[in-house]
Amino acid sequence: MPSTLPSASPGTLQLQPDAGAVHLRVAGDWTLAHYRHLRQAVERARAPLAADSEIDLSALGALDTAGAGLLAELIGPARLAQVGRWAPGLPAERLALLGTVAQALDQPPAELPRAGWGLADLLAHIGRSVQNLWRQQKQLLGFIGLTLQTLAVTLPRPWRWRVTSLAAHLEATGLNAVPIVALLTFLVGAVVAFLGATVLAEFGASVYTVNLVGFAFLREFGVLLAAILLAGRSASAFAAQIGSMKAQEEIDAIRTLGLSPVELLVLPRVLAMLIALPALTFVGMLCGLAGGLVVCALTLDISPLMYLTILQRDIALSHFLVGLGKAPVFAFVIAVIGCLEGFKVGGSAQSVGEHTTSSVVQSIFMVILLDAIAAMFFMEMGW
């Protein structure tokens, strides 16, 4: 075990006047063990020491960073950085240590960031956010193009289809999500029917609650709720799975084997989502209508037969087709965003979490944005 006792020859400073100049002789060990004594000696010797003083380091003993810092304070960082010229007899390790400490002390202090937010800072922050959003959208469009290109190349070649992977992802994405989608849409259908009955009862039009539930779930709520649930459930799973593979360099191993990560990892997930979301949308529509049926039967005395008759008479098939037609678009966007965020993961667990969260936020945002655009388009077209 190394000894922690001070060395036997503590450092000293000797100032000797020589023909009007001052001759400084440094001797002994300049180490942390003698720091207090050396600090006092440096403070006493600093006043008479001039820039043209001669310095003798030939008797210098042990030296560490603390002692080198004191010598730099006494001699000056700029002069100590040239120690190899006026003290060439020192060992190479002493010269390197003194030069490094002098160079570190000679650097100007870093400017501290300004406190507070000014108008320029706010505009710069907005500019960076817009630039990041633009870069993100370009990456998404490029990845969509790459996915469609790979899909066009793979579909005419059945021997390259990943049927087993497609079936596994279809089960995880679609079949396992049926209970939660059915329960959620049933409850939302019941809530919509209850609110509609409460409001329409004031106008004596409680029977139109059936029309409200039918329009809401066939056109909007069925596909929207299913898409949001899959955005939080499957997009995050895609990002986490591919991100973990990226962090463990499994993606690089796939490329090394001559395989395409997009064909191997992205296409099965995208195709599974394209099949699962329309099916879940249909389930959500049925369960939402069932929730409205239960509320109408219990609170409005509308029998199930009358409920179904009103739906058949007043709700056109076009509303069902509009709602179901949006499902493949939402499915493709959700799957592509989840896979893209997985490929953007770095090499840390924190990066996996950040991009998984980003995939959910982006997917839900894009689903709501596309749904709003589709609603305005269909309204203008009269569909």
Side-chain angles (χ1 to χ4, degrees):
M1 181 176 179
S3 175
T4 59
L5 295 176
S7 60
S9 56
T12 59
L13 282 177
Q14 296 179 5
L15 294 175
Q16 301 173 356
D18 186 10
V22 177
H23 180 79
L24 176 65
R25 186 173 185 272
V26 179
D29 295 344
W30 284 64
T31 58
L32 184 60
H34 310 292
Y35 185 82
R36 181 179 300 179
H37 167 72
L38 294 173
R39 160 61 64 184
Q40 297 174 355
V42 168
E43 291 178 353
R44 290 194 301 267
R46 186 183 305 168
L49 187 62
D52 57 349
S53 303
E54 296 184 6
I55 303 173
D56 181 13
L57 300 180
S58 60
L60 180 63
L63 180 68
D64 60 7
T65 308
L70 290 175
L71 288 177
E73 183 179 344
L74 175 65
I75 301 172
R79 190 175 182 184
L80 188 62
Q82 307 295 329
V83 66
R85 296 182 180 179
W86 50 268
L90 287 178
E93 62 274 10
R94 304 282 175 80
L95 293 175
L97 177 59
L98 292 173
T100 302
V101 172
Q103 183 180 4
L105 296 178
D106 197 31
Q107 294 179 352
E111 295 184 2
L112 297 177
R114 292 176 298 170
W117 279 80
L119 179 59
D121 297 326
L122 179 60
L123 294 177
H125 179 71
I126 294 175
R128 287 192 296 268
S129 301
V130 173
Q131 185 180 14
N132 292 335
L133 179 62
W134 173 248
R135 185 184 304 112
Q136 185 178 9
Q137 295 306 312
K138 286 200 303 182
Q139 291 178 349
L140 178 60
L141 290 175
F143 193 74
I144 289 175
L146 179 61
T147 303
L148 292 176
Q149 178 188 6
T150 308
L151 182 63
V153 172
T154 306
L155 281 181
R157 298 170 173 82
W159 60 89
R160 296 176 61 175
W161 294 355
R162 307 286 175 175
V163 180
T164 303
S165 179
L166 174 62
H169 289 300
L170 186 58
E171 178 184 6
T173 303
L175 186 60
N176 294 342
V178 169
I180 184 64
V181 171
L183 177 61
L184 181 64
T185 51
F186 179 85
L187 295 177
V188 173
V191 170
V192 172
F194 180 78
L195 292 177
T198 303
V199 175
L200 295 175
E202 300 179 1
F203 305 96
S206 299
V207 69
Y208 289 102
T209 302
V210 180
N211 301 68
L212 174 64
V213 175
F215 277 111
F217 272 87
L218 292 181
R219 290 188 70 96
E220 299 294 337
F221 283 171
V223 61
L224 194 59
L225 291 175
I228 291 176
L229 280 175
L230 285 191
R233 188 178 183 275
S234 299
S236 60
F238 293 168
Q241 292 165 1
I242 297 178
S244 299
M245 297 179 66
K246 180 75 177 299
Q248 297 174 6
E249 299 182 353
E250 296 181 23
I251 305 295
D252 297 333
I254 291 175
R255 292 193 178 98
T256 303
L257 293 174
L259 301 175
S260 171
V262 177
E263 179 181 344
L264 190 66
L265 303 176
V266 177
L267 288 188
R269 289 171 168 84
V270 171
L271 294 176
M273 186 72 78
L274 287 173
I275 299 173
L277 186 55
L280 291 175
T281 299
F282 182 73
V283 172
M285 291 176 178
L286 293 180
C287 292
L289 295 176
L293 185 149
V294 171
V295 172
C296 289
L298 295 178
T299 61
L300 301 178
D301 293 331
I302 298 177
S303 65
L305 180 60
M306 182 179 180
Y307 182 90
L308 296 176
T309 302
I310 295 175
L311 284 178
Q312 182 181 6
R313 183 192 65 194
D314 296 341
I315 307 299
L317 182 62
S318 60
H319 302 303
F320 170 76
L321 297 178
V322 165
L324 199 63
K326 293 186 287 187
V329 179
F330 293 168
F332 183 79
V333 171
I334 292 171
V336 168
I337 290 177
C339 295
L340 175 60
E341 290 300 314
F343 281 107
K344 291 163 63 176
V345 168
S348 63
Q350 180 181 0
S351 179
V352 175
E354 291 175 351
H355 287 284
T356 300
T357 304
S358 178
S359 68
V360 177
V361 174
Q362 289 186 54
S363 300
I364 294 177
F365 174 78
M366 290 300 297
V367 164
I368 296 176
L369 177 63
L370 292 176
D371 185 70
I373 295 174
M376 290 186 292
F377 174 78
F378 292 140
M379 181 180 65
E380 292 295 330
M381 296 298 295
W383 294 352

